């Protein structure tokens, strides 16, 4: 019965990596879509908008990287 | 039967990391999208909007980092 | 009973790869659609929009590549 | 009972390939639809839009190819 | 009990082929619909739109072909 604990760890690693990527893709996608929409509407504000976008995207990136590292940790558990 | 408790801890770590990232991505994405929309409409208010965005995003970031640390803790339990 | 742990690892690898690709496709698709929409509306801002798009898409790409590597790791576990 | 682990690997390969293709089709479809919409609205920006589209589509393509390779790996596991 | 592993392989081949075709049909359908919409709005841009459409559709086609090959592999496993 001891093996089962690793089985669920592996399952969680795969599904978790998928969920993390989906979350990051959804969030950064929404941000960047708004950034590009704004740049097209006000080209002279493009620099300020890009800096704002990078700050916000880096925050999501930090959480997502931490989340993927948790999944990586789960995937590399050795029985 | 004692092993099962670790199995569910690992499962929770993976799914939890995914859910945390999704929540943070959704929240910060919505904030930053509105920030960039506002900056494009009023470029001279860009500085004030960015500071407001960073304050709000940092709050979500704090909660999300704590949540990912909980998942990290769950993933590193040793039987 | 020991084999079961690998069974779930394989299942997670396949479903995880699918979820990761879906997340990356959703995010990068949203970004690029907005980029092309903006380029068509303001052709002279096309260069700035493309750089913004590549920065944001590369962030999602980084998370997604990490996620697929986790799935690859799960798929190549040897019993 | 050892065969079951391969059974789930095969199941994951099929469903994973389907999910990966759906994700890539959704993402590239969205991108290309926006590209063609933009080309029709601003025919003289068609060249810039096409280059932007190819960059973004190639990013999704890279993730999707990696995902299908993971599924291929799962499908070719020998018991 | 060994036969069951092939049973799931065959199940996955069928469902996977269906999902792959659905994904490719969804993506290429969206692309071609936008292409025809654009051609009707700007008939003189028809050539550029068609080239853009073929590039994007070929990318989805490549992923889908690989996915169907995975399903073919699953369907031709010999017990």
């Amino acid at each position: 019965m001891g093996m089962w604990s690793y089985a669920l760890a592996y399952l969680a690693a795969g599904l978790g990596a998928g969920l993390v990527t989906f979350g990051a893709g959804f969030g950064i996608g929404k941000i960047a879509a708004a950034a590009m929409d704004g740049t097209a509407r006000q080209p002279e504000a493009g620099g300020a908008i890009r800096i704002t976008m990078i700050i916000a995207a880096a925050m999501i990136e930090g959480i997502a990287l931490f989340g993927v590292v948790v999944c990586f940790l789960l995937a590399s558990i050795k029985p």
Side-chain angles (χ1 to χ4, degrees), chain A residues 1-71:
Chain A
M1 204 64 128
M3 282 317 218
W4 265 97
S5 86
Y6 299 110
L8 284 184
Y10 295 148
L11 181 67
L15 296 184
L19 272 173
V20 164
T21 310
F22 192 76
F26 183 84
I28 299 180
K30 199 169 189 173
I31 290 172
M36 261 160 286
D37 204 48
T39 305
R41 216 159 50 191
Q42 289 270 7
E44 73 270 18
I49 287 176
R50 194 183 295 155
I51 294 173
T52 309
M53 185 197 78
I54 291 177
I55 294 172
M59 280 177 172
I60 299 183
E61 189 86 357
I63 293 290
L65 261 183
F66 209 147
V68 178
V69 163
V70 168
C71 295

